[in-house]
């Protein structure tokens, strides 16, 4: 395959995907490439941008057979004549906050969108301003009034502009801390867990009725990958989360509780680092699970009503608060045995009188034979 010269390249926040623009003397294309870890899992997604030669009357099969990026045939093109080459200085690639799709802007005009959910299915899906009719290479971008993805790209551009101004974190932090302190009293310690990169994230530690409580701040700034694809119209109910952990102060020292809660710092980055999502009934392995335990079950349902409080909305969505509770290897295997395994494990834990606060307990499933 002959590659076109690269004129723009921008990795996403977690360096799991890279968006690029390539251009030769014939065509210009926008691509999203999975990086090494995901190359066998996801295909490259492409979007035709413009012909730099006159549009052919028929499909450019010869180019396809030679492994060259094809011209788009005339019936799909807004402009039939050769268009000017793109100026690299005018290109701006903006990633979706979920980190799995991107939009391409050119001197302030939206040129193309590759939506994040398209990563998770086989058909190529993209939208180009130069296209007037759907085809195998792309579909019409249209306008904000005719295409939801155009409108989303505009919203996301404002999102990044607002965050670039540097004031939004103070608002997010204040709203979440007010919410947490109303439930668990003043924060006694505060840990930054973002390694100095965007988005800002932290853990707030509280001492409440003899229990150490730890809660994340900042995860809900970003929607998680995959959720729009899996849940479609219901996605707003699932795509944002914050995590929490509670440890009985009589069974663990503060130092040990903090060590256990450090799992939240790892989990807080996981959806975007692995291009996945986390939700009710999911299990996550951790090396800092307490002795005798191997993983954590994420479950709001384990918490009594007082610990199931509502979090402040973020960009129109209300994040879910998921309590992480340690589980054994046998319990993890049980939870992962079928789609409802996590919910069934939750029910077994509740039936034995367990809640979201970690205390020594008996295993609630039979060990594998």
């Amino acid at each position: 395959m002959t590659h076109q010269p690269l004129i723009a390249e921008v990795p996403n926040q977690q360096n799991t995907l890279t968006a690029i623009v390539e251009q030769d003397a014939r065509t210009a294309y926008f691509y999203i490439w999975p990086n090494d870890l995901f190359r066998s899992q996801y295909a490259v997604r492409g979007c035709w941008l413009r012909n730099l030669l006159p549009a052919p009357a028929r499909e450019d099969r010869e180019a396809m057979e030679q492994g060259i990026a094809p011209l788009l045939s005339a019936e799909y093109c807004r402009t039939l004549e050769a268009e000017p080459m793109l100026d690299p200085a005018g290109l701006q690639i903006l990633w979706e906050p979920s980190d799995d799709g991107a939009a391409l802007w050119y001197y302030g005009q939206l040129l193309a969108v590759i939506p994040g959910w398209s990563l998770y299915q086989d058909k190529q899906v993209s939208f180009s301003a130069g296209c007037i009719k759907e085809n195998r290479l792309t579909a019409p971008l249209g306008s904000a009034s005719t295409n939801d993805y155009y409108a989303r790209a505009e919203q996301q551009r404002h999102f990044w502009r607002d965050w670039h101004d540097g004031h939004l974190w103070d608002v997010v932090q204040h709203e979440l801390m007010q919410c947490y302190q109303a439930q668990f009293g003043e924060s006694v310690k505060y840990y930054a867990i973002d390694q100095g990169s965007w988005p800002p994230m932290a853990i707030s530690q509280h001492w409440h009725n003899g229990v150490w409580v730890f809660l994340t701040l900042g995860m809900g700034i970003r929607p998680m990958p995959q959720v729009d694809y899996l849940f479609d119209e219901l996605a707003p109910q699932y795509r944002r989360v914050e995590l929490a952990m509670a440890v009985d102060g009589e069974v663990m020292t503060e130092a040990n509780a903090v060590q256990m809660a450090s799992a939240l710092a790892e989990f807080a980055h996981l959806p975007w680092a692995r291009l996945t999502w986390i939700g009710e009934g999911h299990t996550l392995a951790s090396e800092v699970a307490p002795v005798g335990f191997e993983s954590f079950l994420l479950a709001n349902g384990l918490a009594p009503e007082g610990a199931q409080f509502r979090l402040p909305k973020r960009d129109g969505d209300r994040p879910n608060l998921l309590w992480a509770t340690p589980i054994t290897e046998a319990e993890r295997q049980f939870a992962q045995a079928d789609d409802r395994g996590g919910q069934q494990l939750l029910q077994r834990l509740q039936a034995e009188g367990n809640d979201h606060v970690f205390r020594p307990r008996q295993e609630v499933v039979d060990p594998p034979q």
Side-chain angles (χ1 to χ4, degrees):
M1 179 179 286
T2 302
H3 287 287
Q4 299 167 283
L6 182 70
I7 62 170
E9 180 178 17
V10 178
N12 64 0
Q13 290 288 329
Q14 295 288 334
N15 289 301
T16 56
L17 305 167
T18 302
I20 65 174
V21 179
E22 292 184 344
Q23 177 173 254
D24 60 13
R26 304 174 73 253
T27 61
Y29 273 79
F30 180 39
Y31 297 101
I32 293 181
W33 279 82
N35 292 350
D36 291 345
L37 184 63
F38 298 98
R39 202 151 287 169
S40 61
Q41 190 174 356
Y42 301 121
V44 176
R45 289 168 292 158
C47 177
W48 170 89
L49 295 175
R50 59 176 53 180
N51 292 335
L52 307 179
L53 297 174
R58 289 180 293 276
E59 190 174 54
D60 192 2
R61 287 189 173 277
E62 183 179 349
M64 294 179 185
E65 290 167 1
Q66 294 178 22
I68 300 170
L71 295 160
L72 186 63
S73 52
E75 67 175 302
Y76 304 114
C77 295
R78 184 177 303 280
T79 302
L80 302 185
E81 296 79 23
E83 294 195 71
M85 296 188 80
L86 294 169
D87 176 6
L91 295 170
Q92 182 186 33
I93 294 169
L94 292 179
W95 282 92
E96 295 180 357
S98 56
D99 230 18
D100 51 0
L104 177 66
W105 296 81
Y106 187 55
Y107 286 113
Q109 300 298 310
L110 185 59
L111 206 58
V113 173
I114 301 178
W117 61 264
S118 67
L119 182 67
Y120 313 109
Q121 41 91 68
D122 295 332
K123 183 184 176 185
Q124 286 275 1
V125 179
S126 65
F127 303 93
S128 171
C131 174
I132 59 171
K133 182 180 175 184
E134 186 173 352
N135 59 87
R136 72 158 78 183
L137 299 179
T138 189
L141 178 61
S143 66
S145 61
T146 62
N147 187 346
D148 185 47
Y149 296 102
Y150 192 116
R152 289 189 194 185
E154 288 189 326
Q155 292 166 3
Q156 288 158 7
R157 193 182 194 196
H158 291 303
F159 173 90
W160 290 118
R161 186 179 298 157
D162 291 344
W163 274 101
H164 187 265
D165 290 343
H167 304 301
L168 285 186
W169 175 234
D170 292 340
V171 175
V172 172
Q173 187 183 44
H174 177 72
E175 288 180 349
L176 281 170
M177 288 301 292
Q178 269 198 322
C179 181
Y180 293 160
Q181 291 181 157
Q183 299 293 326
F184 305 111
E186 290 296 313
S187 175
V188 295
K189 287 182 183 171
Y190 183 91
Y191 312 89
I193 58 170
D194 50 38
Q195 288 97 48
S197 61
W198 192 90
M201 289 196 288
I203 294 174
S204 180
Q205 177 182 336
H206 303 254
W207 174 250
H208 180 67
N209 294 339
V211 174
W212 293 111
V213 180
F214 304 85
L215 306 111
T216 65
L217 299 88
M219 280 187 75
I221 290 169
R222 294 183 286 181
M224 292 180 288
Q226 288 202 26
V227 178
D228 280 355
Y229 171 69
L230 293 171
F231 293 98
D232 196 16
E233 292 181 356
L234 298 178
Q237 299 177 30
Y238 300 99
R239 61 188 170 206
R240 298 177 197 267
V241 298
E242 298 289 351
L243 300 179
M245 191 178 293
V247 182
D248 190 330
E250 290 191 1
V251 302
M252 246 189 210
T253 64
E254 179 183 1
N256 287 340
V258 169
Q259 172 71 7
M260 184 171 126
S262 69
L264 297 182
E266 176 188 356
F267 298 160
H269 297 273
L270 187 146
W272 302 277
R274 297 190 191 173
L275 291 173
T276 188
W277 70 289
I278 54 178
E280 186 82 3
H282 289 197
T283 61
L284 298 174
S286 175
E287 294 181 354
V288 297
V291 175
F293 297 85
E294 187 265 354
S295 300
F296 287 86
L297 174 70
L298 303 181
N300 190 34
L302 264 181
E305 189 173 326
Q308 291 190 15
F309 54 93
R310 284 152 62 93
L311 298 179
K313 280 192 173 183
R314 189 63 47 216
D315 290 330
D317 303 340
R318 192 174 301 280
N320 295 309
L321 183 67
L322 300 175
W323 291 91
T325 190
I327 58 173
T328 66
E329 170 63 13
E331 289 168 340
R332 181 194 65 79
Q333 292 183 19
F334 174 85
Q336 295 182 350
D338 63 53
D339 290 343
R340 286 192 46 77
Q343 194 63 34
Q344 291 166 353
L345 177 60
L346 166 62
Q347 291 167 357
R348 290 195 177 200
L349 288 166
Q350 288 175 317
E352 294 296 322
N354 299 295
D355 61 15
H356 67 301
V357 179
F358 172 69
R359 302 178 179 92
R361 62 172 177 80
Q362 296 297 311
E363 200 167 45
V364 297
V365 301
D366 295 327
Q369 298 299 314

